């Protein structure tokens, strides 16, 4: 009399009810979005898979994700996954959830690396440093997508580094990335790199309280807090980069759109040339770029 096979539609109906009880305005949409993250699938996965019988272990994973979401966790933490430039990363409270804006930062560096290889085909491909790697989003994307000879990724957080290493291993980028624990560029030691890329913490300490609750209550403070003027880490990275960058090398930093001009001034003050500000996908000034002098 009972149909014991649980279809996805049935499981998601349970998820929808729990989310509705927890006060979600669009619980069905929320359940569908959690499911597509859980299976690293397209946004429509819940719909295309609706008639499928699901395994007890997938049913349990859906339930666990719904429980975390009902407790207010960001969707990507609840599902344990985030998609960045098409790469599926594991994420949890040890790392910032990678943002679409940062996909654009990677795009600028991929274009730069491709241009460099076109102009100097005989030269070895560039070596790049990703400072404050978090989930590994930037380092892994560059290792997989850009013509680079390698990436050095740093972070002070041991939890972030171990998750970044797990992500690099799962995505097949492990052997092209050197992960080093330490502050900003200090772990580079004797290395000379062709580009320094970073999405540093850039929220002012005073703005932290007014961030979205999902960000403020769950994402690591170490990933967000840029000090009294939001530019502390940016300044440190710009000051140190001159020491580790090859002549003509690129510095490419993400910044707060309210402070892009001030971040550009930091690069100019640190001696960089050809300093420019670029907009993100929302049309906001988001990236600051500069070059180390050829003979400086
Ligand atoms: N790169 C990742 C991304 O774009 O999604 C994470 C960026 S998050 C905004 C900043 C990262 O910098 C965090 O992972 C944090 O742990 C790290 N961080 C903070 N202070 C640092 C320091 N002094 N040296 C190295 N990394 C630091
Ligand atoms: N983009 C993040 C936010 O708006 C901030 C990340 C950072 O400080 N680099 O919450």
């Amino acid at each position: 009399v009972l149909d014991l096979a649980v279809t996805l539609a049935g499981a998601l109906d349970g998820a929808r009810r729990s989310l509705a009880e927890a006060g979600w305005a669009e619980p069905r949409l929320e359940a569908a979005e959690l499911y597509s993250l859980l299976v690293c699938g397209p946004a429509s996965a819940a719909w295309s898979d609706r008639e499928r019988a699901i395994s007890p272990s997938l049913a349990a994973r859906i339930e666990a994700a719904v429980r975390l979401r009902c407790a207010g966790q960001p969707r990507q933490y609840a599902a344990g996954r985030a998609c960045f430039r098409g790469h599926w990363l594991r994420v949890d409270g040890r790392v910032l959830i990678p943002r679409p804006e940062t996909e654009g930062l990677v795009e600028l560096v991929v274009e730069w690396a491709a241009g460099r290889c076109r102009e100097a085909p005989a030269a070895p491909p560039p070596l790049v440093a990703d400072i404050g790697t978090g989930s590994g989003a930037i380092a892994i994307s560059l290792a997989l997508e850009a013509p680079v000879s390698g990436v050095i990724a740093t972070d002070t957080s041991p939890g972030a580094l171990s998750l970044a290493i797990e992500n690099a291993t799962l995505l097949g980028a492990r052997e092209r990335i050197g992960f080093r624990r330490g502050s900003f560029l200090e772990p580079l030691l004797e290395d000379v790199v062709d580009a320094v890329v970073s999405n540093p913490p850039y929220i002012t300490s005073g703005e932290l309280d007014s961030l979205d609750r999902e960000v403020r209550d769950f994402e690591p403070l170490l990933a967000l807090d840029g000090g009294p003027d939001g530019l502390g880490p940016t300044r440190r990275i710009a000051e140190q980069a001159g020491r580790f960058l090859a002549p003509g090398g690129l510095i490419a930093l993400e910044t707060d759109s309210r402070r892009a001009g001030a971040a550009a001034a930091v690069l100019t003050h640190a001696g960089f040339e050809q300093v420019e500000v670029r907009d993100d996908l929302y049309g906001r000034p988001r990236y600051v770029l500069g070059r180390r002098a050829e003979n400086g």
Side-chain angles (χ1 to χ4, degrees):
V1 284
L2 284 177
D3 181 6
L4 289 178
V6 180
T7 61
L8 178 66
L12 289 187
D13 205 46
R16 178 186 58 74
R17 270 182 268 116
S18 305
L19 288 158
E21 272 167 37
W24 247 266
E26 296 208 65
R28 186 179 164 142
L29 179 70
E30 190 54 48
E33 294 195 338
L34 274 178
Y35 176 74
S36 64
L37 288 176
L38 275 173
V39 296
C40 303
S44 59
W47 184 79
S48 40
D49 294 356
R50 66 196 180 282
E51 305 293 351
R52 277 204 200 151
I54 59 165
S55 66
S57 74
L58 180 55
R61 286 177 59 218
I62 294 172
E63 268 177 42
V66 167
R67 249 194 320 275
L68 292 174
R69 192 67 174 132
C70 287
Q73 293 264 352
R75 187 183 295 147
Q76 290 88 340
Y77 289 162
R81 291 202 165 74
C83 188
F84 183 82
R85 292 182 68 88
H87 312 297
W88 285 95
L89 301 163
R90 303 225 161 163
V91 292
D92 59 35
R94 292 174 289 179
V95 299
L96 188 91
I97 297 164
R99 307 285 203 267
E101 292 91 323
T102 308
E103 295 187 337
L105 178 68
V106 171
E107 184 68 25
L108 293 175
V109 180
V110 171
E111 285 168 8
W112 165 85
R116 223 185 91 114
C117 291
R118 264 196 312 274
E119 282 160 28
L127 177 65
V128 179
D130 169 26
I131 308 305
T133 197
S135 61
I138 296 173
I140 292 168
S141 308
L142 289 174
L144 295 176
E145 299 179 48
V148 294
S149 63
V151 183
I152 302 173
T154 79
D155 211 293
T156 41
S157 158
L161 274 182
S162 55
L163 192 48
I165 290 170
E166 192 181 324
N167 279 324
T169 307
L170 287 168
L171 291 168
R174 180 68 191 89
E175 70 282 2
R176 304 187 67 196
I177 308 174
F179 289 96
R180 303 197 195 161
R181 181 168 170 215
S183 189
F184 301 122
L185 286 88
E186 279 166 23
L188 266 55
L189 305 173
E190 304 299 318
D191 286 295
V192 175
V193 297
D194 301 293
V196 169
V197 186
S198 182
N199 170 22
Y202 56 62
I203 307 296
T204 71
S205 311
E207 289 158 357
L208 290 170
D209 272 347
S210 47
L211 290 173
D212 277 356
R213 279 195 53 183
E214 280 185 16
V215 177
R216 188 189 65 209
D217 293 351
F218 295 99
E219 300 209 71
L221 189 63
L222 180 66
L224 299 166
D225 190 353
D229 69 352
L231 290 167
T234 298
R235 229 174 257 118
R236 296 290 295 135
I237 292 166
E239 282 161 7
Q240 294 180 353
R243 199 148 38 93
F244 296 101
L245 263 180
L250 173 78
I251 184 165
L253 307 179
E254 185 173 322
T255 190
D256 193 290
S257 60
R258 295 164 290 191
R259 286 182 279 285
V266 166
L267 291 195
T268 304
H269 184 256
F272 287 98
E273 300 182 342
Q274 301 172 50
V275 172
E276 53 178 323
V277 174
R278 296 285 196 90
D279 287 353
D280 66 16
L281 73 164
Y282 307 119
R284 301 191 181 117
R286 179 70 62 192
Y287 316 111
V288 292
L289 310 176
R291 303 301 175 106
R292 196 192 149 187
E294 287 288 353
N295 48 12

